[in-house]
Amino acid sequence: MTTSSYQAISIELRHCAKTFPDGTRVLHDLDLEIYPGETLVLLGPSGCGKTTTLRLIAGLETPDTGGQVLFNGQDVTALDIAKRNVGMVFQSYALFPNMTVAENVGYGLRIQKLPADQQKQRVGEMLEMMRLTKLANRHIDQLSGGQRQRVALARAIATRPRVLLLDEPLTALDAQLRDSLRVEINLLLRQLGITAVYVTHDQSEAMALGDRIVVMAEGRISQIGTPRQIYHQPKNDFVADFIGTMNRVQGNISLRRFTCPAGSLAVQADDKEQAELMFRPEDVRVSTELHDDGLQGNVSASFYLGDRTRLLVDIGQERHIVVESAARCELQPGQRVVMNLGNQAALVA
Ligand code: ATP
């Protein structure tokens, strides 16, 4: 299978709002451009409109009057799903239980009426690519969850769709399987170079898979950016708080004592005592060797995570921050620590 087997297209949503017949407006005038060959992740809390957006792209929903969906600049708003040539993978596999793995994978090719020898060859390629060759003659109910999802992926890409749409494909799997299949999907999407839209509410999945992430809230786009931009330059409070953990320290905490001594942190606010400092737990260096050059606090709680330890630290005046320390460093509740921010780590609002 070569990249050239898939023709990477651009997708554009213009003024796509969606109001359901009961009057619920679940999308508000969405404008979105998806570049050829990129994996765009739609991320956001339950009910924010991710699936509805995906269904608009698929042709399973139509936008309210005035909204347009374009594939490679061509208006496909009136085309139904069968004519859009999209591959879809859902959380609930949606495989045919009465067919074998090979028959499932070849289903779309039979519909396309591809000559039998080409069907056989394509199915063989797909099974090999998804490491399913040995399972070709098994029935779906004889497969594990991970294997089923690999069949669903193979079936979705077998017809060489113009775009691959994935709706929470890993949600039903256990954590370990999710991690390994996430790596496989990542490699697959890079290898195919296909334009893909991936819906998830799991931020680590979004970070790992997305070339860009669209963070959605209540039917609107809150921010679009690369995973790094979304994590390090959140545009608003919603994005800052939805992705990872964000600490905020305001007011009469001495920021200068907290920021690194070399002063490499850009504190832009004029009144440094009044500025709001925002920083991630991993941006903070924690030490038990108490000195004046930092912010001191008492450990309130400690959560051992295996590769690191998360600490909740009481910094006084009923304020707590979340910081991280090396896993091997055992810190007990009540212990006094001193904290410094790493270089370029913080944002000042
Ligand atoms: P989740 O992560 O829970 O799947 P989501 O972000 O994908 O959520 P959508 O499935 O797009 O959200 O749903 C957005 C909103 O639209 C929800 O409040 C949902 O209840 C509502 N909704 C979805 N389909 C319909 C429908 N056919 N009629 C009325 N409301 C609907």
Side-chain angles (χ1 to χ4, degrees):
M1 178 67 51
T2 60
T3 305
S4 59
S5 309
Y6 290 82
Q7 172 211 11
I9 63 156
S10 65
I11 301 170
E12 205 183 328
L13 301 184
R14 282 190 198 156
H15 301 298
C16 279
K18 182 69 195 173
T19 313
F20 283 109
D22 64 0
T24 327
R25 187 152 219 221
V26 298
L27 288 181
H28 301 266
D29 205 16
L30 207 78
D31 281 313
L32 180 62
E33 200 182 339
I34 305 166
Y35 307 137
E38 81 168 325
T39 301
L40 186 89
V41 174
L42 303 179
L43 174 69
S46 184
C48 70
K50 305 179 296 288
T51 297
T52 305
T53 307
L54 200 76
R55 288 170 62 84
L56 284 176
I57 297 170
L60 291 165
E61 300 284 1
T62 46
D64 294 350
T65 313
Q68 279 184 306
V69 181
L70 298 103
F71 282 7
N72 259 356
Q74 282 186 329
D75 191 339
V76 296
T77 319
L79 283 189
D80 71 27
I81 183 165
K83 301 222 173 80
R84 289 196 194 184
N85 194 9
V86 297
M88 289 200 79
V89 183
F90 304 95
Q91 177 182 339
S92 60
Y93 325 113
L95 296 167
F96 303 111
N98 54 339
M99 292 184 196
T100 65
V101 167
E103 285 164 353
N104 264 283
V105 173
Y107 177 79
L109 305 174
R110 288 196 294 284
I111 302 283
Q112 282 184 342
K113 298 198 167 57
L114 202 71
D117 55 334
Q118 287 182 37
Q119 278 189 34
K120 197 162 173 239
Q121 189 193 346
R122 188 85 65 85
V123 169
E125 279 173 15
M126 291 298 128
L127 293 177
E128 202 182 317
M129 185 183 237
M130 299 309 299
R131 295 185 293 107
L132 290 165
T133 308
K134 285 191 183 144
L135 304 175
N137 297 317
R138 287 244 187 121
H139 277 269
I140 299 303
D141 57 8
Q142 299 169 313
L143 302 179
S144 71
Q147 290 164 340
R148 286 178 202 201
Q149 207 47 294
R150 295 215 306 272
V151 177
L153 272 165
R155 188 181 63 176
I157 59 175
T159 55
R160 297 187 181 164
R162 296 207 288 171
V163 48
L164 185 59
L165 305 175
L166 306 109
D167 194 351
E168 309 248 12
L170 305 181
T171 304
L173 307 175
D174 67 55
Q176 207 178 358
L177 202 51
R178 230 173 20 230
D179 284 351
S180 62
L181 207 53
R182 180 194 295 167
V183 174
E184 280 188 47
I185 290 179
N186 200 350
L187 292 173
L188 179 74
L189 294 177
R190 312 281 148 214
Q191 189 183 353
L192 299 179
I194 193 171
T195 309
V197 186
Y198 191 107
V199 165
T200 182
H201 60 263
D202 178 331
Q203 49 161 297
S204 43
E205 209 163 288
M207 293 280 169
L209 288 172
D211 291 307
R212 290 187 305 151
I213 297 173
V214 177
V215 183
M216 296 182 67
E218 294 178 359
R220 297 178 204 275
I221 293 175
S222 221
Q223 183 170 358
I224 306 181
T226 62
R228 278 173 192 278
Q229 286 168 338
I230 298 281
Y231 192 75
H232 291 296
Q233 293 148 21
K235 255 188 169 172
N236 50 51
D237 287 354
F238 175 79
V239 176
D241 293 331
F242 185 70
I243 313 279
T245 302
M246 185 65 91
N247 290 296
R248 297 156 187 278
V249 182
Q250 272 169 318
N252 47 14
I253 290 283
S254 172
L255 299 180
R256 252 158 303 163
R257 281 203 300 143
F258 187 32
T259 56
C260 51
S264 57
L265 180 80
V267 178
Q268 279 143 10
D270 291 339
D271 182 352
K272 292 179 183 169
E273 299 298 321
Q274 288 309 311
E276 181 180 51
L277 194 59
M278 291 164 64
F279 53 94
R280 303 283 187 190
E282 68 274 18
D283 293 335
V284 179
R285 288 191 305 269
V286 183
S287 168
T288 50
E289 289 172 29
L290 302 182
H291 52 78
D292 287 340
D293 245 0
L295 180 65
Q296 295 200 1
N298 289 325
V299 175
S300 302
S302 161
F303 306 95
Y304 177 66
L305 301 174
D307 55 346
R308 67 214 138 91
T309 300
R310 275 208 157 193
L311 304 170
L312 187 65
V313 182
D314 180 348
I315 55 170
Q317 295 169 11
E318 295 183 3
R319 282 177 295 192
H320 286 81
I321 57 175
V322 179
V323 301
E324 278 179 4
S325 72
R328 291 176 204 284
C329 167
E330 279 191 44
L331 292 169
Q332 304 300 334
Q335 192 153 2
R336 191 135 187 96
V337 290
V338 63
M339 296 161 292
N340 289 89
L341 270 184
N343 290 0
Q344 312 288 336
L347 301 163
V348 176

